[in-house]
Amino acid sequence: VSKKEVLSKISLTIEKGKCIGIYGGSGGGKTTLNNLISGLLIPTSGKILVDNVDINKIDTDWNKKVSYISQKPFFINATIKQNITFKDKTKINKQKFLFAVNNSGLGDFINSLPQKFNTIIGERGAFLSAGQLQRVSIARTLYYDPDLIICDEATSSLDKKNENMILQNIKRIKKKGKTVIMISHN
């Protein structure tokens, strides 16, 4: 583990319901900043505040209000549906599930599969392409309907058509009062 200080003396205000972009080269601290905001890392000094309250002291779990779409999302050897919801089929909110699938760009792909939503994706998603897995990850975020969505190179595995579609859907989500942070080296 590196002891190198990546970020220093950062002061940033993000207004609720806004979409901001964080741009920079590799190793510049973009992912570290978002790991701090999402609560995955604890700052060595200073605080991360939401409505003037330290995220480590918020009554409800901060991580339930944040969704982090990473460059390398986590997948289990289970169905597409289970990888989106992480729930068994009796506890799935069908309306939320269909919204997530349709607004992540997965609808046509899933409908082309013989087993549809019940298609097994393999260990770490081995049976799907990187772009398909990224859309499953985005659908997972939409299903859980967080207040803050952090997209760390979330469209890096997608072709231009699907990237534009996802970006349009993120704009629609932002209009619903969601705060979105987009990280990119592009």
Side-chain angles (χ1 to χ4, degrees):
V1 177
S2 173
K3 298 285 184 188
K4 179 184 171 195
E5 188 174 82
V6 178
L7 300 173
S8 176
K9 298 178 183 174
I10 299 290
S11 179
L12 173 67
T13 301
I14 302 171
E15 294 179 37
K16 183 176 181 164
K18 298 291 183 182
C19 181
I20 68 156
I22 298 175
Y23 164 80
S26 295
K30 302 179 304 291
T31 298
T32 300
L33 177 62
N34 282 293
N35 285 341
L36 289 164
I37 292 169
S38 66
L40 294 173
L41 290 176
I42 298 171
T44 55
S45 64
K47 296 176 186 174
I48 308 294
L49 304 175
V50 174
D51 295 331
N52 293 317
V53 178
D54 189 320
I55 63 169
N56 296 313
K57 296 179 180 168
I58 293 176
D59 289 339
T60 58
D61 291 328
W62 174 242
N63 61 2
K64 290 181 181 174
K65 295 182 177 199
V66 177
S67 186
Y68 186 77
I69 304 172
S70 72
Q71 298 172 53
K72 297 176 184 169
F74 172 78
F75 298 99
I76 56 176
N77 187 14
T79 66
I80 292 172
K81 186 184 291 184
Q82 289 169 309
N83 273 280
I84 292 171
T85 65
F86 288 125
K87 296 181 181 209
D88 70 34
K89 57 186 161 192
T90 62
K91 296 180 183 177
I92 293 173
N93 180 318
K94 188 174 180 178
Q95 184 178 355
K96 284 173 62 176
F97 179 76
L98 292 174
F99 172 84
V101 167
N102 292 328
N103 286 284
S104 64
L106 272 177
D108 289 342
F109 166 67
I110 288 174
N111 286 328
S112 73
L113 300 169
Q115 298 293 315
K116 310 283 185 225
F117 303 120
N118 296 314
T119 300
I120 301 288
I121 70 167
E123 193 68 39
R124 292 189 216 122
F127 302 150
L128 300 183
S129 73
Q132 290 161 341
L133 291 171
Q134 199 69 302
R135 285 179 277 170
V136 170
S137 179
I138 291 166
R140 182 185 299 158
T141 291
L142 297 176
Y143 181 81
Y144 281 96
D145 195 27
D147 294 331
L148 172 62
I149 300 170
I150 300 173
C151 304
D152 189 356
E153 302 284 355
T155 60
S156 63
S157 298
L158 301 177
D159 58 43
K160 274 293 181 205
K161 176 185 170 194
N162 282 307
E163 178 182 32
N164 288 333
M165 186 264 308
I166 296 297
L167 293 174
Q168 291 302 316
N169 289 334
I170 288 172
K171 285 180 185 177
R172 260 189 253 126
I173 292 163
K174 187 187 82 61
K175 289 179 183 177
K176 295 181 178 184
K178 305 295 180 189
T179 304
V180 179
I181 299 172
M182 301 284 295
I183 303 172
S184 181
H185 63 271
N186 292 332

